[in-house]
Amino acid sequence: MRYMPYPKVLWVASCCCVSWIGCGVETGRHLLEEDVGGGIGTVSLRPVLDSARALYDDAEYNSARAVWEEALLEAHGLADSAAETEALTWLCLTAWQLAEYVEARRLGEEALALKRRYGFDTALAPSYNALGLIAWDEGRLSDAAALFRETAVAARAVGNDRYLAAANGNLGLIQTDLGNFDEAREGFEQLRDGGRRLGNPVFEANGLTNLGMLAVTTGDPLSAIPFLQHALQLYRSTEYTNGEQIALAQLSAAYAAIGEPRLAFSTLDTALQLSRETGQRDEEARNLEQLAALHREAGNVKHALNLYQTTQQMYEELGLGIESGTNLRRVAEVHMSLGDLENARSFATRALGQHRNAGDRFEELNDALLLAEIEHSAGSLNDVARHLHDARLLASELDASSSRLAVALAEARIADRNSDHASTRRVITRVEDDLGKSGPDAESEAYAMLSRAHARLEQLDSSAAYGRRAVAAAEKVRRNFGSSQLRTSYTAMHASVYGDLVSVLIRLDSLEAAFAVFDAARGRSLAEHIIVARRERSELDSTTHVFAESERLLRRIDRLISTLNELENLPVDERNPEAVADVDRRLREARSLYQARIVEVDESTGSSAALLGIGSVTLGDVRAVLSPDEALLEYLVTGERVWAVVVRNDDAQVFSSEIDEEDLESRVRLARGLVADPDAPRELTRDVLDGLYSVLIRPALQSGALAQTKRLIIVPHRVLNYVPFAALRDSAAGTYLVEEYSLLHLPSASALPALRRRDQASIAQETDVLDTRVTLFAPLAASLPASGAEIRAIQEIFSRSDEHLNDRATESRFRTALTRGDLTHVATHGVLNVRNPMFSRIQLARGYSDESRDDGRLEVHEVLAIRVASPLVFLSGCETGVGGAWRTEYARGDDYATLAQAFLYAGARNVVATLWRIDDMGAAIFAERFYENLLRHGASEALSRAQRNMIALDTYGSPYYWSGYRLAGVGEIAW
């Protein structure tokens, strides 16, 4: 997904700071007349200057320049200093618009000198601001920041609050470039507040738009939405359509980031319509390109390609050669991913021609490298050599670390595929110093290739060292913030770096180290969302505070890397060594701070760190909390095999099964589809479940590692989160897995010791099981009659129970039950957000207030803000674990773990959720069997016995009715 870039200002006088093109003509004219025109006395050449300005406003820059040059000569002859400085300022702006930065700078400095000489203090701020914009576009960020500060000083001195607000906004943009997000936020807030004080809704909206942009940039898209919605209201109140469509495009990016593709599509569609209505062809093209990216990410590749084609036509009509070439390269990448090498070659070749004609050497370099990879896939080795040769020449001309690294990684990638391990090692070692200036994705890929090369050369210690560096770099990668132009398919790389390291560590007989890698491969999205959910209430504990700081530093590092690449990719004669050195220094400082924060996280031993997946755990930690009849089974899915580690209280062993990840995904998809369909052919279902059992369970079983085991604690990974493990079938014995073991699921191995320590600490006294309060909810009892029957059946089992049906089953009452410590059961629907499980929700009844806490939509990120005290949370009949993702792709693979983690982190000791929507009557019968068993057994045993009871029933024996239930937590309930 390509997000809209952060704002740059194109109307110097307005400095509106909105994304992409800045302020509209009307606001620009108003400020130009008041400020650039000077307030510096009568101008005798006003008609001439006004005619030139009209040409400028119509983007007739060359014609405007000719008129202003004539006016400048006349003003000099008439000794009209006001007209002279105004003409110079406009000539400066015209040169800037035409990207003639050296000339623009000369003219701007001359105008500023004259204003100082004549004491035109009221006109100083526009000149400083113009020079700041020129410095910005030249890559002189430090100079630009200094000039914007001068703008603020000059504006403050003459009481020009408009330029003061604008200068603060521009400084915020510079700080965004430099990764100083706190300072950037302060500048945007000052712009917003300044606009509010001035009664200027456009200024206020621009500040809000930039605050929204910053929130998306820093990985907090949820908080971006209110900013952008408020900005939209202000833009609409002033009928400022340009600002409205820009805010809508940013809002689309925010919706995409939180996993709301429907809203992302509809919002962007509105932005696109507005850009068409206002005739902004360049904005229309960019919106179409963003829309294409949305469709591509949604899997609608054909439509994405059609949109890219339309975008391409528009870019070519507008003469935007660089944008046109980049769009063509994206099309080439799509065709290459589809295996259509002929079309990939054709589009990449056209992209190369476009960028060559436009003179963009860095984009030309990227085109050449893509063509090299396309030709390698096609087996055209001579063409591979030719494109690599061209890329090396371009990199030499650019003399930038990012360019050298791009070439080296492409060469290493090709050598790695050719099994030329010596060449792989030589090429990457040559640019190892440049890796420090790259993004973590490039680091991870480079070190992973070095690790493989050393492993295949039987240099295992070196391989392990580089493998650890690859994993460490992979840990830094975040979904939306990869800054490097060198990114390949990170999804595949993310899996392989862990698997390669495990393989080497096993060969080195380092089981303890291998186990640590297993657990490090778990998802960490929950930690990030906890930070977002609690930020507004300032409730970060020590662990999440340190993690929040490390995340902020990661994003700052990412931004600095992007800025450094932009500076280094300028032509050598236009490059500012001081700016490069300054950003490089900031990057090194940020990296040092990040490493220090990581040490703090690693030293954290609290349960919070473990439940978030940001702590560390040893085999000894896990063994210490396992009973003799328990075994923990943790998986790691990589590109070519599935690894499994079995941990007992006295032993640990590692196993693997060779299976391609795509094959595994196909099997899981098929198994889930069959098991979730009560009418699926029984024999086919059994065959598929038998096959998965052979891959996932049999290796450990045949080794004897599961001997004497009664409870299996399963820690799935990636696609395995979708597997109904209870239904895996041993064809030899003719039994399901749940018939041999009681099952418990956890999001990570590190969660087990943390949960059990917390559970012991929370048990003050035993409670009579029959005296336990059970609170029951059925908000849809009217439309799901069996849910009411389910509630009544459970009431018969417990002496103390409260029921809430239909309108009484409100979100606020559910929250109360959770915090009071009741055993809490809800029979309802759940709605899974495939893109972002943090916005999956449980459907309850709407309360009587307008508060979001009682709107009937209890979303996962809201659960994180609740102090749950329940010994058991049972989500019955819901599609509350995983759901829709299986229909398209397993984009995250952490859906179930994330949901369970949320309740566990919030304090629940056990959580039952489902993998698919269960039959209404079947859910009622299952719940009754579960609670009957719970009176005599622990939670995991009760769930497993209920599943076995269902197997024995003719009507409900199909895995559809029982295998979708999962228990996460400690596995026991302290009555």
Side-chain angles (χ1 to χ4, degrees):
M1 175 65 200
R2 183 189 68 84
Y3 295 100
M4 294 294 288
Y6 57 88
K8 282 198 175 183
V9 183
L10 297 188
W11 280 98
V12 60
S14 66
C15 303
C16 286
C17 311
V18 297
S19 74
W20 211 271
I21 65 168
C23 161
V25 171
E26 292 181 4
T27 305
R29 281 179 178 166
H30 177 72
L31 285 178
L32 288 170
E33 291 170 0
E34 180 178 7
D35 293 336
V36 174
I40 55 177
T42 302
V43 178
S44 61
L45 297 172
R46 175 58 54 203
V48 177
L49 294 170
D50 285 348
S51 67
R53 189 176 68 241
L55 291 168
Y56 180 95
D57 290 344
D58 291 335
E60 298 288 342
Y61 300 124
N62 287 317
S63 298
R65 170 187 277 170
V67 176
W68 273 318
E69 285 175 344
E70 180 181 345
L72 180 62
L73 289 173
E74 290 190 37
H76 188 71
L78 295 170
D80 188 337
S81 56
E84 187 176 1
T85 56
E86 185 173 345
L88 280 169
T89 302
W90 280 111
L91 285 167
C92 163
L93 297 178
T94 304
W96 173 63
Q97 291 280 15
L98 295 170
E100 298 172 1
Y101 300 127
V102 174
E103 178 66 5
R105 184 178 180 185
R106 183 189 68 77
L107 291 164
E109 289 174 347
E110 185 177 349
L112 178 61
L114 285 175
K115 289 176 183 180
R116 284 172 171 166
R117 181 191 306 169
Y118 297 127
F120 294 157
D121 293 343
T122 58
L124 291 177
S127 283
Y128 283 124
N129 197 65
L131 288 169
L133 291 166
I134 294 164
W136 187 359
D137 282 345
E138 286 184 307
R140 297 182 289 113
L141 299 185
S142 297
D143 291 346
L147 286 161
F148 289 138
R149 291 188 185 98
E150 291 284 358
T151 306
V153 171
R156 190 179 292 111
V158 297
N160 189 332
D161 291 337
R162 294 188 179 190
Y163 261 101
L164 180 59
N168 288 327
N170 277 338
L171 277 170
L173 293 172
I174 293 293
Q175 299 298 348
T176 303
D177 264 343
L178 295 173
N180 297 328
F181 300 127
D182 291 338
E183 293 88 338
R185 185 174 293 105
E186 182 180 354
F188 299 148
E189 288 172 347
Q190 289 173 342
L191 175 61
R192 175 199 61 191
D193 296 343
R196 190 175 298 158
R197 285 193 305 271
L198 291 164
N200 187 324
V202 172
F203 264 38
E204 182 181 354
N206 293 334
L208 288 165
T209 300
N210 275 334
L211 285 168
M213 170 276 299
L214 184 65
V216 175
T217 298
T218 56
D220 190 0
L222 182 62
S223 68
I225 294 171
F227 288 129
L228 295 167
Q229 288 175 334
H230 189 189
L232 279 172
Q233 293 174 354
L234 292 171
Y235 286 136
R236 287 167 178 164
S237 71
T238 58
E239 298 183 354
Y240 183 29
T241 307
N242 185 33
E244 182 182 349
Q245 72 91 15
I246 290 167
L248 283 167
Q250 287 281 10
L251 191 58
S252 173
Y255 284 140
I258 67 170
E260 290 286 359
R262 180 182 60 82
L263 291 173
F265 276 111
S266 62
T267 305
L268 188 58
D269 184 65
T270 305
L272 181 62
Q273 182 180 349
L274 288 175
S275 63
R276 285 170 172 165
E277 290 176 357
T278 56
Q280 295 173 300
R281 295 276 290 167
D282 55 344
E283 285 300 314
E284 180 184 352
R286 292 181 178 108
N287 287 333
L288 280 171
E289 189 178 351
Q290 187 174 352
L291 187 61
L294 278 174
H295 278 285
R296 180 181 177 184
E297 191 164 289
N300 192 352
V301 177
K302 182 177 180 180
H303 191 55
L305 286 173
N306 289 336
L307 288 169
Y308 279 131
Q309 183 178 5
T310 302
T311 303
Q312 185 62 31
Q313 292 173 351
M314 295 179 67
Y315 280 148
E316 290 177 357
E317 290 171 5
L318 292 166
L320 299 175
I322 294 173
E323 289 87 345
S324 172
T326 304
N327 188 71
L328 285 168
R329 191 170 65 237
R330 290 195 177 99
V331 175
E333 290 167 351
V334 173
H335 282 290
M336 185 178 178
S337 70
L338 296 173
D340 184 358
L341 298 181
E342 182 176 349
N343 271 318
R345 180 189 296 113
S346 174
F347 282 106
T349 300
R350 288 176 60 192
L352 180 66
Q354 293 274 25
H355 287 139
R356 188 169 286 164
N357 290 336
D360 192 320
R361 309 296 274 170
F362 184 71
E363 294 296 342
E364 186 181 345
L365 170 70
N366 288 328
D367 300 332
L369 292 176
L370 177 60
L371 279 164
E373 298 222 39
I374 292 171
E375 298 299 354
H376 184 266
S377 297
S380 304
L381 300 185
N382 289 334
D383 290 326
V384 171
R386 175 170 58 85
H387 289 303
L388 286 178
H389 174 73
D390 291 345
R392 292 188 197 103
L393 290 177
L394 287 165
S396 177
E397 293 176 13
L398 289 167
D399 190 26
S401 59
S402 57
S403 303
R404 291 190 295 270
L405 191 56
V407 174
L409 282 181
E411 291 177 332
R413 212 175 288 131
I414 290 170
D416 184 49
R417 293 171 188 159
N418 291 336
S419 298
D420 186 354
H421 313 308
S423 293
T424 301
R425 183 174 61 178
R426 182 181 66 256
V427 168
I428 297 177
T429 303
R430 187 177 69 226
V431 294
E432 200 162 355
D433 290 342
D434 291 323
L435 279 172
K437 298 178 181 179
S438 70
D441 45 359
E443 285 184 281
S444 180
E445 181 182 11
Y447 290 134
M449 287 191 288
L450 277 176
S451 177
R452 284 196 297 274
H454 282 280
R456 290 163 183 168
L457 294 170
E458 297 299 322
Q459 298 167 350
L460 298 184
D461 289 334
S462 295
S463 175
Y466 280 116
R468 289 189 179 95
R469 295 174 75 174
V471 167
E475 290 294 308
K476 301 176 187 176
V477 177
R478 293 297 177 262
R479 181 172 175 263
N480 294 323
F481 301 102
S483 63
S484 175
Q485 300 275 350
L486 317 168
R487 183 188 298 274
T488 55
S489 176
Y490 176 70
T491 301
M493 182 59 63
H494 187 268
S496 66
V497 292
Y498 293 99
D500 289 346
L501 180 55
V502 164
S503 177
V504 172
L505 292 172
I506 295 301
R507 292 171 66 184
L508 287 169
D509 199 26
S510 299
L511 182 57
E512 181 82 40
F515 178 72
V517 175
F518 264 80
D519 219 42
R522 306 301 109 181
R524 295 185 178 185
S525 61
L526 180 68
E528 299 164 359
H529 283 84
I530 285 176
I531 292 165
V532 172
R534 295 189 172 182
R535 182 176 291 143
E536 292 184 0
R537 301 187 305 161
S538 301
E539 291 186 2
L540 294 181
D541 58 27
S542 59
T543 300
T544 50
H545 176 78
V546 172
F547 188 71
E549 175 66 10
S550 68
E551 291 296 285
R552 187 187 70 81
L553 284 168
L554 268 181
R555 293 178 179 117
R556 182 181 178 189
I557 288 167
D558 192 82
R559 196 67 186 174
L560 286 168
I561 289 169
S562 179
T563 300
L564 186 62
N565 285 345
E566 289 177 9
L567 293 175
E568 287 195 331
N569 292 333
L570 290 171
V572 175
D573 58 344
E574 297 179 15
R575 194 176 305 165
N576 186 323
E578 293 180 1
V580 173
D582 180 60
V583 176
D584 186 49
R585 175 183 59 79
R586 291 171 179 266
L587 177 58
R588 284 185 274 107
E589 290 175 354
R591 284 185 180 276
S592 296
L593 285 172
Y594 175 76
Q595 294 302 327
R597 294 298 180 271
I598 290 301
V599 171
E600 291 183 47
V601 171
D602 288 342
E603 290 176 349
S604 174
T605 57
S607 61
S608 295
L611 290 172
L612 290 173
I614 59 177
S616 58
V617 67
T618 67
L619 277 172
D621 295 332
V622 175
R623 286 178 184 150
V625 296
L626 287 171
S627 63
D629 63 351
E630 289 182 313
L632 181 138
L633 180 58
E634 183 167 22
Y635 291 98
L636 176 67
V637 177
T638 66
E640 298 176 351
R641 64 180 56 237
V642 175
W643 294 88
V645 58
V646 177
V647 184
R648 303 287 300 271
N649 70 335
D650 59 353
D651 189 24
Q653 298 180 55
V654 176
F655 309 93
S656 70
S657 297
E658 287 192 18
I659 183 170
D660 180 82
E661 187 173 6
E662 290 186 6
D663 183 16
L664 178 65
E665 180 177 317
S666 296
R667 293 196 196 191
V668 173
R669 190 189 304 275
L670 179 59
R672 181 189 159 96
L674 291 169
V675 174
D677 179 2
D679 299 321
R682 182 163 297 185
E683 290 187 7
L684 176 58
T685 302
R686 286 182 175 178
D687 288 344
V688 174
L689 295 173
D690 290 350
L692 283 174
Y693 184 97
S694 298
V695 172
L696 300 175
I697 304 297
R698 181 160 287 124
L701 184 68
Q702 291 179 337
S703 71
L706 300 181
Q708 309 304 315
T709 296
K710 294 183 179 179
R711 176 154 63 191
L712 270 182
I713 302 169
I714 297 172
V715 182
H717 182 232
R718 292 170 63 82
V719 67
L720 299 185
N721 280 288
Y722 299 84
V723 172
F725 275 90
L728 297 188
R729 187 174 177 278
D730 184 348
S731 58
T735 56
Y736 294 110
L737 188 66
V738 73
E739 294 182 272
E740 303 297 328
Y741 309 96
S742 66
L743 302 178
L744 181 67
H745 285 73
L746 287 176
S748 67
S750 60
L752 181 65
L755 283 168
R756 290 191 170 174
R757 283 195 300 266
R758 188 181 73 180
D759 194 51
Q760 289 299 316
S762 66
I763 299 173
Q765 59 183 13
E766 292 188 358
T767 305
D768 188 321
V769 60
L770 294 177
D771 197 43
T772 298
R773 178 193 293 271
V774 180
T775 307
L776 308 164
F777 296 84
L780 305 176
S783 57
L784 299 176
S787 66
E790 178 178 337
I791 297 302
R792 289 187 290 273
I794 299 171
Q795 280 186 300
E796 294 295 322
I797 299 173
F798 294 92
S799 60
R800 296 182 64 203
S801 63
D802 293 329
E803 71 167 32
H804 301 286
L805 305 180
N806 297 316
D807 292 346
R808 287 181 47 80
T810 63
E811 180 182 344
S812 61
R813 288 192 172 105
F814 187 70
R815 288 171 177 266
T816 299
L818 293 173
T819 57
R820 191 168 55 201
D822 299 356
L823 192 155
T824 309
H825 183 101
V826 56
T828 185
H829 289 321
V831 179
L832 178 74
N833 185 313
V834 178
R835 285 283 313 282
N836 192 335
M838 292 299 102
F839 290 84
S840 297
R841 67 180 185 270
I842 298 165
Q843 187 171 342
L844 294 156
R846 178 181 288 276
Y848 300 104
S849 70
D850 293 330
E851 295 183 8
S852 62
R853 290 168 49 85
D854 204 15
D855 62 3
R857 297 160 54 98
L858 181 62
E859 295 177 335
V860 172
H861 70 88
E862 293 181 291
V863 173
L864 301 176
I866 302 174
R867 300 298 186 188
V868 178
S870 299
L872 173 72
V873 179
F874 195 122
L875 309 174
S876 175
C878 308
E879 193 175 13
T880 51
V882 295
W886 70 279
R887 299 185 186 97
T888 53
E889 61 178 344
Y890 300 101
R892 280 184 176 267
D894 283 334
D895 304 34
Y896 178 82
T898 301
L899 178 71
Q901 261 184 302
F903 279 97
L904 295 176
Y905 180 85
R909 293 198 289 279
N910 295 280
V911 181
V912 176
T914 56
L915 293 175
W916 51 77
R917 186 165 295 176
I918 305 299
D919 171 79
D920 195 18
M921 186 58 69
I925 294 173
F926 185 91
E928 183 178 0
R929 298 300 174 94
F930 169 75
Y931 286 108
E932 288 174 346
N933 281 289
L934 190 64
L935 296 178
R936 298 179 296 276
H937 305 284
S940 64
E941 181 64 19
L943 188 75
S944 298
R945 285 176 178 263
Q947 289 173 318
R948 294 166 197 158
N949 293 158
M950 297 290 280
I951 292 171
L953 299 176
D954 290 338
T955 304
Y956 298 107
S958 166
Y960 163 73
Y961 294 101
W962 51 265
S963 67
Y965 291 94
R966 278 186 174 177
L967 175 73
V970 295
E972 305 292 341
I973 292 182
W975 299 109

